[in-house]
Amino acid sequence: MTTVRVALLGCGVVGSEVAAALAPGSASLRELEERVGVDLELVGIGVRDVDAPRPGAVDRALLTDDTSGLVSRADVVVELMGGMEPARSLILDALRQGASVVTANKALLAAQGPALHTAAAGSGVAVHYEAAVAGAVPIIAPLRVSLAGDRVTRVLGIVNGTTNYVLDAMDTSGAELADALASAQDLGYAEADPTADVDGYDAAAKAVLLARLAFHAAVPLDAVHREGIMGVTAADVASARQEGMVIKLLAIAERCPEAPGADGHEAGHGGHPEGLQVRVHPALVPRTHPLAGVREAFNAVFVEADAAGELMFYGRGAGGAPTSSAVLGDLVAAVRDHLDERPARSRAGGADLPVCAISAARTRYHVRLDVADRPGVLATVAEVFAEHGVSIETVRQHAKRDGEESPVSNEPAEGAVLAVTTHEAREGDLAATVARLAELDAVAAVASVLRVEGV
Ligand code: NAP
């Protein structure tokens, strides 16, 4: 019987689960072998420290720190080390020698995806990466295969479990962000250094992968507009609640009607008729939208397509066992690739849609203003919105309550709070409106500006 040799790079949170599933003689290995119809041999597990403690199900005899030697002995390589190097070089070595690769490394894929896919295509093999976006949630295959015959118009994702956990805790408890983040760290939902999550870097890398698959477009990581959650306050969450909404960190990739140049100016007639917008930021989402029900550290990706309409993929976005489910699914696909010796199905991603600047985005906004509590202020504020072509949908005003602090100075408050929700407007027009509002005598401070999505 044919034997397919599998090399595993990494034996951490995810790798140790995969190592256990592929352990020689295990029931899970037998089941996988039945599914692919051949024997699978785990030829080694690449790690930094072969003497470090490992879970009991890991076969220590397979551990090695000679990762290059390990790759050279494999038909399929599963990369679960993370980081840029040596993961990038090892994956390229594997692809050049004709081994298909499975990886969960979103950071590497976002930065180097086209180069990896080109190398794979050159050898007639593929890079599989279902676990790189939303962990166990199958979203890569639906976008790459199931929806390949449709025209996707928009993808909205909650793709970072840590930030969703923190924002959900703020929504349910009324806590400030620092307290919600500290309790997420205590419970293991957030890292000691949460920067990659709370500043939106992790979600931006996943947004690149979603955009590439949904729109067949090459999107550089630095073209993603990125805002994290650190500016979200308990007052923002409370204001969203009063509007019947909840705040989520969203990764959004959508078609925009016209493609502006990199400087934000619209393209001329010779320009592309349509562009692509990729952005990551906190946004208000109506509680009636399916994404609003994504609680705690769960992930979901909401897809809008011309023929299919609206679809949502939901599940656990991280953790060793859920992520290993996606990795093992990819392993089955990679083994089948190897056995079929089919030509490459990977593609570098066409560059047919230019990326629009954030100033061209069109969405709704929720603007909270700290204003003087006197007659005429509302009219003055409304006039500024109108002057800039931004149409107001609702306005809510309340006098500041006893003890309520100014959002800027933290002084005990006087005056009123105006919460304005707009109809759809162009980001550039909204930014000009906010700049003008900040100059008004009647406006003590622009407390916050948040986008509203999913309306
Ligand atoms: P991890 O726990 O930090 O494990 C990394 C493993 O790689 C360790 O076994 C480490 O060896 C090994 N390694 C790192 N650098 C190495 C080097 N230079 N040479 C040899 N071995 C090296 O990472 P993880 O959480 O399992 O994540 C793995 C990948 O999956 C990452 O790309 C991550 O983004 C992705 N992912 C993770 C999750 C999750 O829930 N954790 C979810 C989705 C995707 P030692 O054990 O000897 O240190």
Side-chain angles (χ1 to χ4, degrees), residues 9-16 45-50 52-54 64-65 67 79-83 85-87 90 103-107 131-136 191 202 206 317-320 323 327:
L9 301 175
C11 191
V13 174
V14 186
S16 59
I45 306 170
V47 292
R48 254 182 311 224
D49 179 2
V50 289
R54 307 280 166 192
T64 174
D65 55 11
T67 45
E79 184 277 307
L80 294 170
M81 298 193 308
E85 287 293 351
L90 292 167
T103 177
N105 194 334
K106 60 243 162 191
V133 180
E191 311 240 345
D202 174 77
K206 292 165 178 170
T323 308
V327 170

Side-chain angles (χ1 to χ4, degrees), residues 58-134:
V58 173
D59 183 350
R60 297 194 69 90
L62 293 173
L63 295 171
T64 174
D65 55 11
D66 176 15
T67 45
S68 299
L70 175 57
V71 165
S72 69
R73 290 184 277 130
D75 302 310
V76 174
V77 171
V78 179
E79 184 277 307
L80 294 170
M81 298 193 308
M84 291 294 155
E85 287 293 351
R88 188 192 70 97
S89 302
L90 292 167
I91 288 176
L92 284 173
D93 287 349
L95 296 171
R96 288 183 188 129
Q97 78 188 30
S100 275
V101 169
V102 175
T103 177
N105 194 334
K106 60 243 162 191
L108 176 62
L109 286 162
Q112 298 284 325
L116 300 183
H117 289 299
T118 301
S123 301
V125 292
V127 179
H128 298 266
Y129 54 100
E130 187 62 75
V133 180

